[in-house]
Amino acid sequence: MKLMKTEDAVGQVLCHDITQIIKDKSKGPVFRKGHVITEEDIPVLLRVGKEHIYIWEKDETRLHENEAAEILRQLCQNAHMSATAPSEGKIELKAEEDGLFLVDQERLFALNSLGEMMIATRHGGFAVKKGDTLAGMRIIPLVIEKEKMEAAKQLAGDKPLLQLLPFHSLKVGVVTTGSEVFHHRIQDTFTPVIEEKLRAFGATVTMHVILDDKHEDITRNIQTMLAEGVDMVLCTGGMSVDPDDRTPLAIKNTGARIVSYGAPVLPGAMFLLAYSEDGRPIAGLPGCVMYAKKTIFDLALPYLAAKQPITAAQLAAYGNGGLCLNCPVCTFPNCGFGK
């Protein structure tokens, strides 16, 4: 770049966008990078406070901010994402589908630690809607050494830092347990809650049974639902350590692989997650899912809906941020729960 007095810059090429801010009205580039300055532009440049401007001098060792931002985009963008055009050196990524947004936190931290460049994302591990902004990126200076951007490429590797996994139209089986519901002593108010939460992710309850607390019956019905082709089985009730609560035993007896019985999340400590031999999830939902605003199920459901396996380590990590504060007005996921 070469710094020039604005009045002397007629015929020169701008090497960066010139921003104009009009209070309460607009903020944006009045001239863009690559614009050839004319005599008529001089008063406009002076009005936005540019008595001196940088013009482009070709240097084979450096990249302009837009070119560098394009490299950062390539390191981040994955399927089901779209990118905005560079504006003032910044590029944003948008969701093209509803889905689960994931961030490789270690590589993102390492890249941001290089200095002179930045990538900011929304929290990974949560659902996003089509059109949502996922990330923004730019370099800090107007130009940057090519060597530094090559270092960023090497650090990022071949796999994009971000993922967007679309939700699937899952068929779900629900096994409602409890003698009080089975014998019609109380109404089943759990299943409608589950159905409403599933609808938000495009999933549908296609099989539903209400059973007593006999673990053999629960096991048999879970196996029947899997044989009938459901994508996931949710068991409601019977998840505590009371002698009559046999759902965890019933799930274990299906032969499923137990990922975890219990999670460091409140509400939701008695959550159970297992996977059948062919990888379909079987979950035991504690009673709090029926009445609490947000629980462990709201943290796990985006992963289940995107068919993304949940690990024991992931559940254990929820301990930091796993306490719902039960705010009078719930703003989840725009809060600290699960983060």
Side-chain angles (χ1 to χ4, degrees):
M1 292 184 298
K2 179 180 179 181
L3 184 63
M4 291 190 68
K5 196 173 179 179
T6 300
E7 288 92 335
D8 299 331
V10 175
Q12 301 293 335
V13 179
L14 278 175
C15 67
H16 62 94
D17 294 347
I18 301 292
T19 301
Q20 182 180 48
I21 302 174
I22 302 176
K23 187 178 183 296
D24 299 328
K25 289 187 178 181
S26 65
K27 174 183 181 290
V30 63
F31 297 114
R32 293 191 177 275
K33 169 239 181 177
H35 175 73
V36 179
I37 300 170
T38 67
E39 191 72 43
E40 292 76 17
D41 297 334
I42 302 302
V44 180
L45 291 167
L46 294 174
R47 279 201 302 271
V48 296
K50 298 299 181 183
E51 293 188 351
H52 296 81
I53 56 173
Y54 285 101
I55 58 96
W56 184 253
E57 285 187 315
K58 186 64 176 177
D59 184 343
E60 297 299 331
T61 68
R62 296 172 183 267
L63 293 172
H64 183 270
E65 60 178 354
N66 285 353
E67 297 171 309
E70 177 64 19
I71 292 174
L72 295 178
R73 179 203 63 76
Q74 294 169 2
L75 302 182
C76 292
Q77 188 173 2
N78 209 333
H80 311 295
M81 302 177 191
S82 60
T84 62
S87 177
E88 300 178 274
K90 181 179 72 174
I91 294 177
E92 291 184 342
L93 295 178
K94 307 279 187 178
E96 290 190 321
E97 305 276 351
D98 294 357
L100 171 66
F101 179 57
L102 297 176
V103 179
D104 190 316
Q105 296 185 46
E106 290 187 6
R107 288 192 294 147
L108 177 65
F109 174 81
L111 197 147
N112 280 328
S113 297
L114 289 175
E116 295 192 306
M117 63 188 74
M118 58 77 64
I119 299 171
T121 76
R122 68 195 298 143
H123 266 286
F126 291 87
V128 297
K129 293 286 189 181
K130 181 179 179 179
D132 282 351
T133 301
L134 305 177
M137 59 215 66
R138 68 175 305 160
I139 62 165
I140 306 304
L142 291 173
V143 294
I144 191 169
E145 292 83 359
K146 289 183 178 180
E147 288 185 2
K148 195 130 193 177
M149 298 311 300
E150 286 298 323
K153 290 180 184 179
Q154 292 298 318
L155 189 152
D158 297 329
K159 183 180 178 182
L161 275 65
L162 310 179
Q163 292 186 74
L164 179 54
L165 306 178
F167 296 131
H168 297 263
S169 299
L170 300 181
K171 296 181 295 183
V172 181
V174 174
V175 178
T176 302
T177 68
S179 60
E180 69 277 25
V181 181
F182 181 74
H183 293 292
H184 306 290
R185 298 180 184 123
I186 65 170
Q187 184 179 356
D188 173 22
T189 56
F190 209 145
T191 303
V193 172
I194 299 303
E195 289 176 326
E196 182 179 357
K197 289 182 181 291
L198 291 172
R199 275 196 297 270
F201 294 88
T204 306
V205 174
T206 57
M207 298 185 72
H208 179 218
V209 294
I210 300 176
L211 303 175
D212 205 345
D213 292 310
K214 298 177 181 178
H215 67 84
E216 299 91 348
D217 290 343
I218 300 172
T219 296
R220 183 171 62 256
N221 277 273
I222 293 173
Q223 292 172 327
T224 297
M225 289 180 174
L226 293 172
E228 291 292 327
V230 300
D231 301 298
M232 173 170 60
V233 177
L234 302 176
C235 300
T236 68
M239 291 304 302
S240 77
V241 294
D242 292 344
D244 291 335
D245 288 341
R246 314 306 299 275
T247 303
L249 174 62
I251 294 174
K252 179 181 178 182
N253 287 345
T254 66
R257 174 179 61 87
I258 304 295
V259 174
S260 179
Y261 178 26
V265 176
L266 292 172
M270 305 306 290
F271 176 71
L272 185 151
L273 178 65
Y275 286 94
S276 65
E277 289 184 0
D278 59 2
R280 286 177 286 176
I282 305 169
L285 305 183
C288 62
V289 176
M290 178 173 53
Y291 60 81
K293 293 177 182 177
K294 298 298 174 183
T295 70
I296 178 64
F297 187 50
D298 298 283
L299 300 179
L301 185 52
Y303 285 84
L304 300 175
K307 293 188 176 182
Q308 176 72 4
I310 299 173
T311 66
Q314 178 182 334
L315 292 173
Y318 280 134
N320 181 15
L323 177 65
C324 177
L325 299 180
N326 195 30
C327 302
V329 177
C330 180
T331 60
F332 179 86
N334 299 319
C335 66
F337 183 50
K339 299 185 176 74

